Amino acid sequence: MTSPEPPIRPQLAVSGVIFREGKVLLVRRARSPGKGFYSLPGGRVEFGESLHTALHREVDEETGLRIEILGLAGWREVLPTDPGTGHYLIMSFAARWASREPVLNDEHDDFKWLRPEEIGDLKVTGGLHEVIAAARRLV
């Protein structure tokens, strides 16, 4: 089996700022890209899939949670920094926890429910603080 060719176009992705009792769910990436960094659950949008459907699917696959999507909080572009790294346009949505407790898949090795002001010096992905602040305005 040969490794897939790196994408030649930007890829569309979604992420969710999931609020529960004033806290946000952060998940720590277990592998590259971003191994060891806390981030938001989410991932690539599949062809023919709406952004909301993709977010519900990704959150379910990564955490097992059910959510209510509140609205678009913002977007972030991640440009390739090294050969073979991706170019992503990430649409980030504010969401509210609806049911279930987190059960992580193999993409993540830890999670935390934190108030935004408690994130402090935690190792987080770029733009995380800004998207959480934007999402907070929609809750």
Side-chain angles (χ1 to χ4, degrees):
M1 180 181 220
T2 61
S3 61
E5 290 294 316
I8 59 170
R9 292 183 178 87
Q11 297 180 64
L12 181 60
V14 291
S15 68
V17 183
I18 303 168
F19 289 92
R20 180 181 186 182
E21 297 173 1
K23 296 181 178 181
V24 173
L25 178 67
L26 299 181
V27 291
R28 187 172 62 196
R29 295 182 180 177
R31 56 184 184 230
S32 293
K35 181 177 180 176
F37 284 78
Y38 282 88
S39 190
L40 302 168
R44 280 179 267 214
V45 177
E46 295 176 0
F47 182 78
E49 187 175 46
S50 74
L51 298 178
H52 282 200
T53 299
L55 184 58
H56 282 289
R57 176 184 52 75
E58 286 288 344
V59 167
D60 180 46
E61 287 174 3
E62 294 183 5
T63 69
L65 297 181
R66 297 293 184 254
I67 61 169
E68 172 193 355
I69 298 172
L70 304 173
L72 183 64
W75 61 275
R76 182 165 184 274
E77 186 174 26
V78 178
L79 297 171
T81 54
D82 296 307
T85 60
H87 180 179
Y88 296 94
L89 177 60
I90 305 168
M91 308 300 287
S92 298
F93 290 86
R96 187 176 295 123
W97 172 84
S99 65
R100 296 188 176 176
E101 295 303 319
V103 176
L104 302 179
N105 69 4
D106 64 351
E107 294 178 45
H108 307 289
D109 59 12
D110 188 34
F111 74 89
K112 297 179 182 302
W113 287 103
L114 295 172
R115 295 190 185 288
E117 57 274 8
E118 295 173 334
I119 296 171
D121 293 335
L122 198 63
K123 196 163 112 175
V124 298
T125 53
L128 184 79
H129 294 285
E130 293 82 3
V131 77
I132 290 173
R136 235 178 161 173
R137 293 189 282 271
L138 299 174
V139 178

